[in-house]
Amino acid sequence: MWPQKLGALKGSDWHRGFAAGIGIGLGVLLLFLGGALGFRTHLGEDSGGRTLKAATSTTSNLDLRKGFSSIATQVEPAIVNINTEQVIHNAAAPPHDPFHEFFGEDDPFGFFSKEPRDMSQKSLGSGFVVDPAGYILTNNHVVENASRIRVKLDDGRMMEASVVGTDPQTDLAVLRVKASSLPILHLATTDQVEVGDWVLAFGSPFGLEKTMTAGIVSAKGRVVGAGPYDNFLQTDAAINPGNSGGPLVSLSGDVVGINTMIASQSGGFQGVGFAIPAPMAQDVYKQIVSSGKVTRGWLGIRIQEITPEIAKSFNLGGQKGVLVADVDPNGPAARGGLRSGDIILSYGGQQLHSSHDLSMAVAATQVGSSAKLEVLRNGEHHSMNMKVGERPADLAETFASSRNEEQGRLGVTVENVTSEAQHQMNLASRQGALVTEVKPGSPADVGGVQPGDVIHELNHAQVNQAADLHSLANNLKNGSTVLLKIERQRQTIFLAFDLSN
C-alpha cells in the first residue's frame, strides 16, 4: 500500500507536495527557535537584562555520599550487637515429631517429645557505647527477661554484659561490659533535629551487623500508645527487627534518637519507624547510672482529654486544658486541694492542650519541688501550688488493672457524680453514673456511649451511683440487649446495643 501511494505522486503533484513539506518544516523550526529563546529569557535574563541562574542543590550527590561515608566511619566502631538468651520454663515441645510420622497415635516415643521442658530462646538486638568504661545504651525490650546477655564489640570480642538498670516506661536499658577505652557516641542534649533533616539509622537488622540506612525525620512528638511518655521521632530511614537499640544519627555525627519500633502490618519496614529522642534518653541514662533507677514526678490524679461534648458541658468555650476525672485521696494533688471535675489549664506556666502535655510536664518535675497550676473550677479561675511526689514504681500496673476492672463488661469507666460535676454540667441531681472513659471497640462504644454521659437506667433499673451500674452489668447474660437511659448535654436519650458473647 505505502509503496503504491508514494509511487503515484508524479509531476506537479510531487512539486506541490515537496513545497508543502518545506513550508511545514520551516514553520516547526521557527516555533522551536522561538520557544528556545523564550526559555532562555526565562532562565537566563529578566526584563532588565540581568543574568539569572537556575536553582541548584547546595549539596551534590557526591558530597552527600561522602558525608554518609564519613559518618559511618565515625559511628560504626561504637555500635554493638546484643545477643540474649531467655530460659522458658515448662515450655511445650516443638510441634514436629519425626516418630509420630512413622508410628502415628501408637508412637512409643511420643511421651518424650510431648513432655514440657525448659527451652532456651535466643534473640538479637543493637546498642551503642556511651562511656569508654563500657556503658551501653539499648532498648529495654531487647534485654527484658534475658537470663544471659552477650555483647559483640566492633573489634570482634564477645563479652558478657550485666544490666545496670532499665526503664520500661520509656523502653530504655543501660548495660555494662568489663572493658575500657572503648569508642563512644555522644547523645544530643537538646532537640537538634527538624522535620526534613537527614538521619542515619545504624544496627543489626535481621542479625546483619554494621548496617546503615538513610532517611529523613518525617515527624516529631509522635504518640503511638507505647507508653505514658511517648514522644517519638518518626523517620523513613529503614528500621527492621534487630535494629532496636541502635542509634539514629544526624549528619553532624550526634545521636538524636534510639531506634525502637516500626509501624508495620507485615512485620517488616514499611516506611515508618520510631526513635526515642536523645534528650529523653540522656536523662534516663544519667539517672540509671547514678542511682540504678528512674524517678518521676507524680500528682496522684486520673486525667482525660476534653472532647467537644465535655467542653460544651463545662461551658469551656475555646479554652484548652485537661479534665481531672479522679483524685487519689492519699496523693499530692488531694493535699494541694485539687478536686475531681477541675480543669487544669496550665502547669508550671506551660499551657496544656492535651493530657499527654500534663503527663510529660509532671514526670519531668523534680520530686519534692512545688508546681504552680492554673485551674478552672465552677467557671472561676484558681491558682494552686502543690508539692510534687514521686511516681510509684507499680503505678502503671495498678492503674491498668483497676481501669480494666472498672470498665467491666460494658466497656465503660464510671464514677459518682460530684457536686462540682453537677454544677459544671448543670445536672438536675447527683444521681447516676458519670462516664469518664469508653473502651474503643467495646459494646458501649459501638452503642454510642460517650465520656460525659450520665447513665440513669440500665434495662429500666435505676442507677443512682457508679456501684449500681457495675452490679447491674455483672448480672447481664452474654448476647443480651442493653438499654441505657442517658443524660447528655441536659437532654435525655436512650441507647440500645447487644452485649458481645
Side-chain angles (χ1 to χ4, degrees), residues 54-61 63-64:
T56 58
S57 174
T58 58
T59 304
S60 68
N61 289 336
D63 290 337
L64 195 59

Side-chain angles (χ1 to χ4, degrees), residues 225-279:
Y229 307 114
D230 285 9
N231 189 31
F232 291 106
L233 296 175
Q234 180 180 309
T235 178
D236 64 354
I239 298 174
N240 282 293
N243 266 118
S244 292
L248 188 70
V249 182
S250 68
L251 294 189
S252 64
D254 290 329
V255 177
V256 296
I258 290 82
N259 306 323
T260 300
M261 66 176 67
I262 58 175
S264 174
Q265 296 180 343
S266 65
F269 178 70
Q270 291 183 325
V272 180
F274 301 100
I276 301 167

Side-chain angles (χ1 to χ4, degrees), residues 74-90:
Q74 174 185 341
V75 169
E76 287 181 351
I79 307 297
V80 301
N81 180 260
I82 299 176
N83 298 261
T84 65
E85 294 182 16
Q86 178 183 353
V87 176
I88 303 176
H89 298 287
N90 299 323

Side-chain angles (χ1 to χ4, degrees), residues 67 77 141 145 150 187 217:
H141 75 261
N145 300 322
R150 293 187 299 166
L187 288 165
V217 174

Side-chain angles (χ1 to χ4, degrees), residues 21 77 92 170 176 185 192 199 295 329 352 355 363 369 416 421 432 477 500:
T170 55
R176 190 176 187 183
L185 294 180
Q192 298 180 355
V199 284
T295 59
L352 300 177
S355 59
S369 63
N416 294 331
K477 296 181 180 180
S500 302

